[in-house]
Amino acid sequence: MKRSSNPNLQRYALNSGNSIVDINSANRTERYTCLSCGGEMVVKQGEVRQWHFAHKALSPHCSYESYLHRLAKRKIHEWFYNTNQLQLVFSSSQSHRCSQMGNDCIWWESVSGHCKNHQVYQWSAKYDLKKYYNSCDIEREYKGFRADLFIYGENRSDEESIFIEICVKHPCTQEKVDSGIRIIEMVIESEADIDSICNSSEIREGEHIKLYNFRAKPRIIVFNNKKLYKFILSSGNTASFSEVDCKTYANRHDRSIFELTSDHRFFEINYGQSAIYFIYQVGMAAAHNRDYPVRDCFLCRYHRRTVEERLSIFCCLYKQLGAADKYCKSTKALECKVYRVDKELCNAIEEKIRYDSVDIWEKKNEF
């Protein structure tokens, strides 16, 4: 049997008992009426066109949009009572944050309202509506608004009730959305859309399902240790680097005279051209800027970087100095006769840490 795919043919009608009948189950001897206008319908079960119900006499008051709207209300109403589970699925967020968030912690960003290590993940909230709601009325008034379908539960207040709105042509008014009533708006463009809803046990937020005034509380997973990096300058001008966390970074080393802590291990410094500097190097520059007598080859104006390794440096005067090895070592600067501090680099690093989350501690300021 050949069938066309005309989307505006009516596959459903009402029988004499006011029940919805599919054209595939229709009997030519029975009487059927239109869901929209109530006019008499004729069973069309031919060999060429798609089976459908047709009006015996066309009515100027009947439209396919009105038919879809009424059909959706009836079918979804039946579906509500015939399904054991009805999962409402919508997006929410999961937040990983520190338990000290906002409590005078320097790693907290007051402008953005979260910790620099704060992370938000999307997750799907899922609730079985049939656990909480057991009744559904067609065309019911509430708070001055009429719901296409009004879902409520015996043990739940009216404030917790839900509207299901059928959108064939006209979406929910802004006034209804702003009322605070929880609304499930179902966008219906064809009978197939109705079948798709009624053949599922889910109402999933998406292109054809709009949810208003539903929002699960964000999940908050508390963690207590944000990883940080610390530069330590000890008495005797020996420098080191260690990994700490936001709960222990303020624990000072016994011989520390200067400490710089950051949530960055590497810093991008715009100095002539953009370059990456390790927190150890940033700490050395910050110590020099605060008049600590530190010397390091990377602070010297004659240091250069290798192309192969961004953090390896060499002295551009090594030939003049007769050095066998051009690469800089940590102790070379202490004995170098041509060592000159690169003030522009030190200023660029100081400018960078001024606007980053950096904690600087000096022992001399505690007295």
Side-chain angles (χ1 to χ4, degrees):
M1 177 169 54
K2 184 178 179 182
R3 300 192 179 188
S4 67
S5 57
N6 187 337
N8 292 332
L9 297 179
Q10 293 181 207
R11 206 177 91 207
Y12 298 96
L14 296 175
N15 63 14
S16 56
N18 202 37
S19 296
I20 296 175
V21 176
D22 188 307
I23 186 63
N24 295 306
S25 305
N27 189 325
R28 292 175 183 270
T29 61
E30 291 190 26
R31 184 177 184 275
Y32 299 99
T33 55
C34 175
L35 279 99
S36 175
C37 66
E40 187 174 350
M41 304 296 280
V42 178
V43 175
K44 298 287 186 177
Q45 296 173 329
E47 295 294 324
V48 179
R49 300 189 70 192
Q50 178 183 343
W51 285 10
H52 63 284
F53 290 100
H55 285 83
K56 189 171 184 178
L58 290 177
S59 168
H61 306 295
C62 192
S63 69
Y64 189 71
E65 288 78 13
S66 175
Y67 159 76
L68 279 181
H69 195 270
R70 290 173 182 263
L71 175 66
K73 283 190 289 187
R74 287 286 302 265
K75 294 274 285 182
I76 293 169
H77 181 263
E78 291 178 4
W79 169 64
F80 178 86
Y81 283 106
N82 291 334
T83 186
N84 293 322
Q85 284 190 334
L86 189 51
Q87 299 288 347
L88 179 66
V89 185
F90 57 95
S91 296
S92 188
S93 63
Q94 174 173 292
S95 176
H96 287 207
R97 74 173 195 182
C98 177
S99 58
Q100 298 300 312
M101 225 162 88
N103 296 336
D104 299 323
C105 176
I106 69 164
W107 314 113
W108 166 266
E109 283 188 343
S110 58
V111 176
S112 61
H114 63 256
C115 175
K116 276 183 171 285
N117 201 37
H118 173 266
Q119 299 178 61
V120 176
Y121 303 90
Q122 291 302 119
W123 62 286
S124 293
K126 184 180 285 190
Y127 299 98
D128 183 5
L129 293 179
K130 294 302 291 285
K131 278 187 176 181
Y132 311 103
Y133 301 93
N134 57 5
S135 300
C136 179
D137 293 348
I138 297 177
E139 298 282 343
R140 177 166 162 179
E141 291 273 352
Y142 176 68
K143 283 189 174 181
F145 298 100
R146 180 179 291 274
D148 286 331
L149 295 164
F150 185 83
I151 297 176
Y152 58 101
E154 291 178 356
N155 300 318
R156 304 187 76 82
S157 67
D158 284 349
E159 293 290 331
E160 299 175 288
S161 300
I162 298 171
F163 281 19
I164 292 183
E165 296 297 308
I166 308 302
C167 173
V168 177
K169 211 170 186 180
H170 305 290
C172 285
T173 64
Q174 193 60 48
E175 185 181 7
K176 186 178 280 189
V177 171
D178 292 342
S179 68
I181 299 169
R182 289 185 287 181
I183 301 170
I184 302 171
E185 183 178 70
M186 298 180 171
V187 180
I188 304 296
E189 297 174 348
S190 66
E191 292 172 331
D193 290 337
I194 302 172
D195 292 340
S196 178
I197 292 169
C198 296
N199 290 332
S200 174
S201 60
E202 282 189 349
I203 300 175
R204 182 176 290 272
E205 185 178 22
E207 183 181 356
H208 285 82
I209 301 292
K210 311 292 183 184
L211 301 181
Y212 302 106
N213 305 315
F214 285 92
R215 200 51 56 205
K217 292 181 179 179
R219 291 178 177 176
I220 297 176
I221 298 176
V222 174
F223 65 91
N224 296 311
N225 53 338
K226 179 181 178 180
K227 192 174 183 179
L228 302 173
Y229 307 94
K230 181 190 281 191
F231 166 83
I232 303 160
L233 183 66
S234 301
S235 56
N237 287 328
T238 56
S240 61
F241 155 79
S242 67
E243 292 185 359
V244 292
D245 62 50
C246 59
K247 298 295 185 291
T248 62
Y249 79 96
N251 298 338
R252 308 303 172 190
H253 290 241
D254 293 339
R255 299 177 64 239
S256 292
I257 57 174
F258 174 86
E259 294 182 1
L260 181 146
T261 308
S262 174
D263 53 358
H264 299 308
R265 187 171 185 173
F266 299 98
F267 291 75
E268 185 174 355
I269 308 297
N270 292 312
Y271 166 62
Q273 59 181 6
S274 181
I276 302 298
Y277 286 87
F278 183 47
I279 189 171
Y280 177 90
Q281 297 168 323
V282 171
M284 289 291 281
H288 168 81
N289 291 338
R290 285 157 183 77
D291 299 324
Y292 292 92
V294 294
R295 290 174 69 139
D296 193 286
C297 288
F298 103 93
L299 291 177
C300 179
R301 68 174 65 172
Y302 301 120
H303 89 276
R304 299 292 183 270
R305 289 171 172 266
T306 61
V307 176
E308 298 82 9
E309 298 181 69
R310 292 184 299 172
L311 297 179
S312 294
I313 61 173
F314 65 93
C315 179
C316 68
L317 300 180
Y318 78 98
K319 290 183 179 179
Q320 294 175 235
L321 297 172
D325 184 5
K326 70 176 182 178
Y327 290 100
C328 299
K329 295 180 180 178
S330 58
T331 57
K332 256 187 180 181
L334 298 177
E335 57 192 35
C336 183
K337 296 179 181 179
V338 296
Y339 178 83
R340 298 290 184 275
V341 172
D342 189 336
K343 293 182 179 180
E344 289 186 24
L345 173 59
C346 288
N347 290 338
I349 290 176
E350 191 67 29
E351 187 71 14
K352 177 68 175 177
I353 65 176
R354 185 180 302 167
Y355 295 104
D356 270 27
S357 291
V358 171
D359 176 72
I360 293 177
W361 171 86
E362 296 181 77
K363 188 173 184 179
K364 64 184 180 183
N365 291 336
E366 293 198 340
F367 298 98

